[in-house]
């Protein structure tokens, strides 16, 4: 792990300052990145997961819910009459508001409680009297403090019911997500005090140290942006590095040259993402 992650505080978390309504163009962003969730839904059977509980009411905790793009897509792929009551936790008030509307517009999900909190402070708000069938953190553990994640994982295990599962969907070290952000930090002196992303490898190290068993499903896909779509490319880069002030097309020119595919006339950013599946029953 990178040493400059250790002083991470909630206020220095780039997600907190970036996820505001005026800074986001989510429609453009998801034109490129929706494949992250589509690939996950395609490769992992959520229908089997939910039906495995053999009950019609399930309790879900969504850690770092963001704007709830994932459950809104998943909802369309479910073929059961199971209802999922979701508690939502996020560091951004804007995201919580959007996510609640998304969940409540779904056929198979609804919102129960919302928690405005950093993931690291989960234990201060989510009481252990809760017993969740499923906890998931979907693309939400990149900017957390690594020194506090062991306690978070142990607390989440306690929050799970006996047959519960904890799903962690996390970018890998060799993903373009991580490469772009690492390039940004190493070439932009003003951001030297900013945290590097926590990768799936980092999270696996934490789980391994705790002796927590998990399965690992690795997914491969690419983000594709047409050469002519400079506006989309600009929005994509800015959100990848949480910075709307940078002249990203100029700054990332070396990356653009490497990632351009002449045959398709597209920029292609290869992603590697791991789904870590923690089963409560195998960790009792």
């Amino acid at each position: 792990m990178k040493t400059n992650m250790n002083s991470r505080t909630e206020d220095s978390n780039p997600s907190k300052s970036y996820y505001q309504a005026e800074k986001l163009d989510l429609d453009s962003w998801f034109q490129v990145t929706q494949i992250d969730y589509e690939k996950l839904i395609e490769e992992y059977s959520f229908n089997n997961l939910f039906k495995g509980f053999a009950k019609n009411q399930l309790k879900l905790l969504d850690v770092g819910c963001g704007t709830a793009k994932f459950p809104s897509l998943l909802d369309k792929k479910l073929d059961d009459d199971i209802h999922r009551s979701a508690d939502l936790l996020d560091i951004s008030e804007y995201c919580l508001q959007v996510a609640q509307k998304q969940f409540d517009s779904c056929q198979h999900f609804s919102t129960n409680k919302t928690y405005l909190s950093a993931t690291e402070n989960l234990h201060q708000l989510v009481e252990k009297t809760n017993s969740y069938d499923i906890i998931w953190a979907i693309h939400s553990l990149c900017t957390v403090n690594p020194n506090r994640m062991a306690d978070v994982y142990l607390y989440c295990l306690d929050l799970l019911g006996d047959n519960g599962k904890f799903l962690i969907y996390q970018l890998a070290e060799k993903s373009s997500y991580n490469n772009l952000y690492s390039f940004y930090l190493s070439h932009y002196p003003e951001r030297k005090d900013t945290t590097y992303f926590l990768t799936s490898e980092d999270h696996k190290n934490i789980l391994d140290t705790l002796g927590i068993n998990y399965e690992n499903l690795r997914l491969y896909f690419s983000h594709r942006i047409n050469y002519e779509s400079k506006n989309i490319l600009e929005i994509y880069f800015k959100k990848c590095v949480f910075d709307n002030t940078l002249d990203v097309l100029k700054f990332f020119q070396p990356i653009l040259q490497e990632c351009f595919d002449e045959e398709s006339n597209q920029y292609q950013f290869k992603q590697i993402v791991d789904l870590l599946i923690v089963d409560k029953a195998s960790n009792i």
Side-chain angles (χ1 to χ4, degrees):
M1 295 181 195
K2 318 297 189 300
T3 55
N4 64 342
M5 300 180 81
N6 297 340
S7 60
R8 160 71 64 187
T9 64
E10 181 178 331
D11 288 335
S12 68
N13 188 325
S15 298
K16 183 177 183 179
S17 59
Y18 190 81
Y19 275 86
Q20 311 292 331
E22 69 277 5
K23 295 184 179 181
L24 296 170
D25 182 345
L26 292 175
D27 289 340
S28 296
W29 168 253
F30 285 125
Q31 280 186 44
V32 182
T33 64
Q34 185 166 305
I35 189 175
D36 294 34
Y37 308 119
E38 293 171 339
K39 193 72 173 176
L40 174 57
I41 294 167
E42 174 187 321
E43 295 289 334
Y44 181 74
S45 178
F46 284 88
N47 276 305
N48 287 346
L49 168 68
F50 295 136
K51 290 174 183 176
F53 289 97
K55 54 185 181 179
N56 293 325
Q57 297 280 340
L58 296 179
K59 208 170 173 195
L60 163 71
L61 175 62
D62 190 332
V63 178
C65 63
T67 56
K69 185 67 171 180
F70 170 66
S72 71
L73 292 173
L74 177 61
D75 186 63
K76 300 177 178 66
K77 301 292 185 180
L78 297 175
D79 58 10
D80 56 46
D81 57 1
I82 300 170
H83 180 73
R84 300 147 188 88
S85 177
D87 290 348
L88 314 180
L89 181 141
D90 202 273
I91 198 171
S92 162
E93 186 172 2
Y94 167 74
C95 285
L96 278 177
Q97 292 170 354
V98 174
Q100 184 166 3
K101 291 178 182 177
Q102 286 271 43
F103 267 93
D104 291 339
S105 67
C106 290
Q107 179 182 348
H108 299 90
F109 295 90
S110 66
T111 307
N112 181 31
K113 296 178 181 177
T114 60
Y115 300 102
L116 179 61
S117 172
T119 295
E120 297 92 326
N121 298 328
L122 179 149
H123 64 284
Q124 297 177 7
L125 295 176
V126 184
E127 298 179 359
K128 278 192 179 178
T129 51
N130 290 288
S131 180
Y132 294 101
D133 301 296
I134 299 157
I135 300 174
W136 68 38
I138 309 296
H139 265 333
S140 61
L141 300 180
C142 292
T143 57
V144 292
N145 185 333
N147 293 331
R148 298 179 62 188
M149 284 308 298
D151 288 339
V152 170
Y153 281 134
L154 292 173
Y155 196 81
C156 284
L157 266 181
D158 285 343
L159 288 173
L160 283 175
D162 290 344
N163 298 315
K165 290 185 184 290
F166 185 9
L167 308 181
I168 304 147
Y169 192 53
Q170 188 66 29
L171 60 87
E173 184 177 348
K174 292 186 178 179
S175 67
S176 282
Y177 275 129
N178 191 51
N179 292 339
L180 285 172
Y181 199 61
S182 296
F183 180 90
Y184 169 72
L185 294 184
S186 61
H187 290 79
Y188 195 14
E190 291 84 349
R191 293 294 185 268
K192 286 297 186 185
D193 60 344
T194 304
T195 295
Y196 284 83
F197 279 165
L198 227 64
T199 65
S200 61
E201 288 85 356
D202 292 322
H203 284 284
K204 285 186 274 190
N205 284 338
I206 297 170
L207 293 170
D208 290 341
T209 299
L210 292 171
I212 294 176
N213 301 313
Y214 57 90
E215 297 175 46
N216 187 178
L217 175 63
R218 175 154 281 196
L219 284 67
Y220 300 87
F221 51 88
S222 291
H223 292 162
R224 301 171 184 270
I225 303 175
N226 293 334
Y227 176 78
E228 298 82 6
S229 302
K230 292 297 193 290
N231 181 54
I232 300 291
L233 185 63
E234 186 174 6
I235 291 165
Y236 175 77
F237 277 144
K238 286 181 176 180
K239 189 171 182 306
C240 279
V241 299
F242 304 107
D243 189 344
N244 279 349
T245 66
L246 186 66
D247 182 353
V248 287
L249 298 185
K250 180 179 178 181
F251 183 83
F252 284 112
Q253 193 58 43
I255 301 287
L256 286 173
Q257 292 173 354
E258 292 175 8
C259 295
F260 182 66
D261 178 67
E262 290 188 12
E263 185 175 345
S264 64
N265 200 37
Q266 290 179 326
Y267 297 106
Q268 299 185 7
F269 304 98
K270 295 180 180 179
Q271 304 297 355
I272 305 172
V273 185
D274 286 320
L275 177 64
L276 310 181
I277 307 159
V278 178
D279 190 332
K280 176 67 173 278
S282 67
N283 285 283
I284 296 177

